[in-house]
Amino acid sequence: MKLTAENIKNHYLILIIKLSILSLFIFSLVRGKIETSVYWNFVAETGNGFENYMNVLKETSFFRPAIILLVPLIGIFINKKIGWILIQSYFYFLITNLTFSATYIDLTDNTLILLNITGFLLLLLIIILMNKKKISNLIYGIEKTQLISKNVIASIIGMSITIVLALIKVDGI
């Protein structure tokens, strides 16, 4: 592939997306660790043993965002079709999660409505950018004829994660 200004621009787009996923993963791990430390202060558990972490994983959801972010994190290191699907599935997960949570919004809270619409449009923009030929075909090797089927697979994975999380919240697990 010839290195042109257009190719560099497209590589920056995917690099920004990948770095944002990596940053979110690191942030969620640090946040989970901080919340675990606070939790241990309240339940009077001491130490950083493996058993204590397993108890925290069973009893709380501090590390749930980091576990969910493992899906696109694996995808950022694979520059093949499966990597693209894993990254896209995360954005579809965010859209479906945002849509489901938007059903509980108070319709008189204009700020919250505007924030949800902005988030939805931003996620939609990222999905559109990932579907551009310059990213999907040149970087990940996905032909234009395969884009619909790959998007369907990614959306099914993203929606499945949302449904599983909704069921976990309902069951109280």
Side-chain angles (χ1 to χ4, degrees):
M1 177 190 321
K2 189 175 179 182
L3 196 60
T4 63
E6 187 68 25
N7 288 340
I8 291 172
K9 177 183 161 191
N10 293 323
H11 285 289
Y12 279 130
L13 286 174
I14 195 66
L15 184 65
I16 289 170
I17 291 170
K18 287 181 175 184
L19 286 176
S20 65
I21 291 171
L22 184 63
S23 300
L24 281 172
F25 180 74
I26 292 169
F27 175 76
S28 65
L29 279 178
V30 169
R31 183 172 174 249
K33 175 63 177 152
I34 291 169
E35 289 179 353
T36 302
S37 298
V38 171
Y39 175 79
W40 280 340
N41 287 337
F42 284 117
V43 260
E45 287 188 36
T46 56
N48 291 329
F50 182 73
E51 186 177 326
N52 290 341
Y53 273 107
M54 293 309 290
N55 287 336
V56 168
L57 285 174
K58 285 191 297 189
E59 297 172 10
T60 66
S61 61
F62 299 151
F63 289 101
R64 191 175 292 161
I67 292 170
I68 293 169
L69 275 164
L70 283 175
V71 172
L73 188 69
I74 293 168
I76 67 172
F77 295 111
I78 303 171
N79 279 346
K80 298 184 191 279
K81 294 175 186 177
I82 188 70
W84 185 88
I85 289 172
L86 292 175
I87 292 172
Q88 280 289 88
S89 68
Y90 180 67
F91 295 117
Y92 281 116
F93 158 72
L94 290 176
I95 279 185
T96 56
N97 202 25
L98 186 66
T99 303
F100 283 133
S101 66
T103 58
Y104 300 108
I105 292 176
D106 181 19
L107 294 178
T108 59
D109 190 357
N110 293 334
T111 306
L112 196 55
I113 292 172
L114 183 64
L115 187 63
N116 277 316
I117 290 173
T118 304
F120 184 83
L121 292 175
L122 181 66
L123 290 169
L124 197 58
L125 176 68
I126 292 172
I127 288 174
I128 290 170
L129 286 175
M130 289 287 291
N131 278 294
K132 286 182 67 173
K133 178 183 178 185
K134 295 166 185 149
I135 291 177
S136 64
N137 191 6
L138 296 178
I139 296 174
Y140 291 99
I142 300 173
E143 298 293 326
K144 185 177 182 178
T145 57
Q146 298 174 329
L147 272 177
I148 291 177
S149 65
K150 302 302 179 201
N151 272 302
V152 168
I153 293 169
S155 65
I156 289 172
I157 293 170
M159 286 186 249
S160 299
I161 295 171
T162 302
I163 291 169
V164 167
L165 285 178
L167 290 175
I168 288 173
K169 288 178 184 177
V170 167
D171 289 342
I173 297 174

